[in-house]
C-alpha cells in the first residue's frame, strides 16, 4: 500500500485549522483527516488534539485482523477523542464551542474500515468508478436527503457550513462506520471540505483516474482547489493498494 498526505492553508485563511496524517503499525494503516472549527486558537486545538491522540493510540494498537476489530477500535478511540475535546473546551474559556470533523480509515490488505463525523469525506476509486462512501452530517445534506432542496442547490446554499454533528461539541457523539473490500488497484481519498467544496466529484475522479504517482495526484488536487478560489484550508490523503501478488 502507498499513502500520501497533503495539507495547505489555501489562499484566504490566515491559519490552517485542518490536521491529519498517515500512521502505520504491524496491522495496517490508520489515515485521518480532521477539520477544526471554532476559530483560531480553538479549531486548530481541536483538530490537533484529535490527531495526536489517534496517532498515539494506533501506535499501541494490536490485533486488528477483522473488520469488527477495526470498527470497535475506531468507535472506542473516536469516542475518547470526543470526551477529551469536550472536557478541554469546558475547562478553557477560549476554547468554548470548539470541535472538529473526523474522517478516519483503517486499511489492511483485505479491507478498509471508515468512520466519519461531520463533513470531511471519504471517496473510493475502484473497478466501478469513483464515488463518495461517507454521508455529510450537515444541515444542507439533510435537506437534500429529505428532498427539500436539490444537490445543485446544495452546492451554493448559504448555510452550507452548518454541521449537525462534530467531535467535541457535545458530551457524546454518534459516528458512521462502514467496511469495504480493498483490492489491488483501488484508491481511497479522504479530504476536508476545503477540497470537496471547491472541486466537484467528477473533477476529483478525473484526477484520481489518471496515470501517475499518488504524490502527483495529491498535488494536482490541492492546486485545483486553490485555482477554484482556495477560500478554506485544504487537506487530503490518498491511499492506493498496489500490492502485487507473486506468481507461481
Amino acid at each position: 500500500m502507498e499513502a500520501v498526505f497533503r495539507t495547505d492553508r489555501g489562499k484566504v485563511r490566515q491559519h490552517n485549522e485542518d490536521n491529519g496524517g498517515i500512521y502505520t503499525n504491524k496491522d495496517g494503516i490508520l489515515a485521518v483527516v480532521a477539520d477544526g472549527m471554532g476559530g483560531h486558537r480553538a479549531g486548530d486545538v481541536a483538530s490537533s488534539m484529535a490527531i495526536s491522540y489517534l496517532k498515539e493510540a494506533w501506535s499501541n494498537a494490536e490485533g486488528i485482523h477483522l473488520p469488527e476489530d477495526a470498527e470497535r477500535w475506531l468507535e472506542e478511540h473516536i469516542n475518547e477523542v470526543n470526551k477529551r475535546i469536550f472536557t478541554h473546551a469546558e475547562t478553557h474559556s477560549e476554547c468554548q464551542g470548539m470541535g472538529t470533523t473526523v474522517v478516519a480509515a483503517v486499511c489492511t490488505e483485505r479491507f478498509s474500515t471508515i468512520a466519519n463525523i461531520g463533513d470531511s469525506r471519504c471517496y473510493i476509486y475502484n473497478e466501478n468508478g469513483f464515488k463518495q462512501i461517507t454521508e455529510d452530517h450537515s444541515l444542507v445534506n439533510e435537506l437534500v436527503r429529505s428532498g427539500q432542496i436539490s444537490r445543485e442547490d446544495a452546492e451554493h446554499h448559504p448555510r452550507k457550513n452548518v454541521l449537525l454533528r462534530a467531535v467535541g461539541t457535545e458530551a457524546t457523539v454518534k459516528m458512521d462506520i462502514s467496511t469495504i473490500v480493498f483490492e489491488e488497484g483501488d484508491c481511497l481519498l479522504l479530504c476536508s471540505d476545503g477540497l470537496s467544496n471547491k472541486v466537484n466529484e467528477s473533477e476529483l475522479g478525473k484526477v484520481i483516474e489518471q496515470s501517475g504517482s499518488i504524490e502527483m495526484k495529491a498535488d494536482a488536487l490541492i492546486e485545483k482547489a486553490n485555482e477554484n478560489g482556495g477560500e478554506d484550508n485544504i487537506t487530503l490523503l490518498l491511499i492506493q493498494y498496489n500490492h502485487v501478488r507473486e506468481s507461481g
Side-chain angles (χ1 to χ4, degrees):
M1 254 181 293
E2 276 187 282
V4 62
F5 169 73
R6 293 281 188 275
T7 189
D8 190 273
R9 197 180 68 195
K11 294 170 79 173
V12 175
R13 297 280 176 94
Q14 294 299 306
H15 305 282
N16 192 345
E17 293 177 35
D18 285 4
N19 218 308
I22 301 155
Y23 311 107
T24 306
N25 69 14
K26 62 185 185 344
D27 292 330
I29 287 173
L30 171 70
V32 197
V33 168
D35 178 356
M37 47 192 261
H40 182 51
R41 293 198 64 214
D44 50 358
V45 172
S47 62
S48 64
M49 278 180 75
I51 297 303
S52 58
Y53 173 78
L54 291 171
K55 175 186 178 181
E56 184 168 347
W58 187 248
S59 70
N60 297 317
E62 51 188 34
I64 313 282
H65 304 307
L66 300 168
E68 304 85 82
D69 303 326
E71 288 170 13
R72 199 179 308 114
W73 189 92
L74 283 165
E75 185 166 16
E76 180 186 326
H77 291 287
I78 292 172
N79 275 321
E80 179 61 25
V81 164
N82 186 77
K83 197 163 72 181
R84 288 177 180 219
I85 293 173
F86 183 74
T87 304
H88 187 90
E90 292 277 282
T91 53
H92 296 76
S93 58
E94 75 278 9
C95 291
Q96 269 190 338
M98 76 173 179
T100 184
T101 70
V102 167
V103 60
V106 169
C107 300
T108 73
E109 300 211 329
R110 290 176 299 121
F111 63 85
S112 281
T113 299
I114 297 117
N116 78 293
I117 298 165
D119 62 357
S120 292
R121 293 180 178 177
C122 180
Y123 298 86
I124 187 164
Y125 172 65
N126 60 16
E127 60 189 3
N128 299 317
F130 182 78
K131 67 168 187 172
Q132 184 180 339
I133 52 177
T134 53
E135 280 275 354
D136 295 353
H137 302 134
S138 64
L139 174 65
V140 164
N141 192 49
E142 209 44 55
L143 294 174
V144 171
R145 278 162 55 109
S146 60
Q148 294 179 61
I149 63 170
S150 69
R151 287 217 170 270
E152 291 67 37
D153 294 337
E155 291 297 314
H156 309 288
H157 197 280
R159 301 191 70 196
K160 191 168 182 179
N161 63 345
V162 177
L163 294 183
L164 301 181
R165 283 189 228 168
V167 178
T169 54
E170 307 277 342
T172 59
V173 72
K174 188 171 178 288
M175 67 195 83
D176 295 345
I177 302 183
S178 61
T179 295
I180 56 169
V181 176
F182 201 38
E183 296 180 318
E184 196 176 327
D186 292 358
C187 186
L188 285 182
L189 166 65
L190 279 67
C191 66
S192 64
D193 67 343
L195 179 68
S196 55
N197 280 344
K198 293 281 109 189
V199 185
N200 67 37
E201 193 164 312
S202 71
E203 286 183 294
L204 292 172
K206 278 180 192 151
V207 174
I208 304 298
E209 286 165 19
Q210 70 193 18
S211 58
S213 69
I214 60 169
E215 287 82 7
M216 282 169 55
K217 294 174 188 180
D219 292 338
L221 290 170
I222 296 275
E223 207 172 298
K224 268 188 182 297
N226 276 323
E227 277 171 11
N228 293 345
E231 289 91 351
D232 200 353
N233 309 142
I234 309 148
T235 300
L236 66 94
L237 272 155
L238 285 172
I239 305 147
Q240 193 158 305
Y241 190 177
N242 290 335
H243 180 64
V244 179
R245 295 168 184 85
E246 292 179 19
S247 58

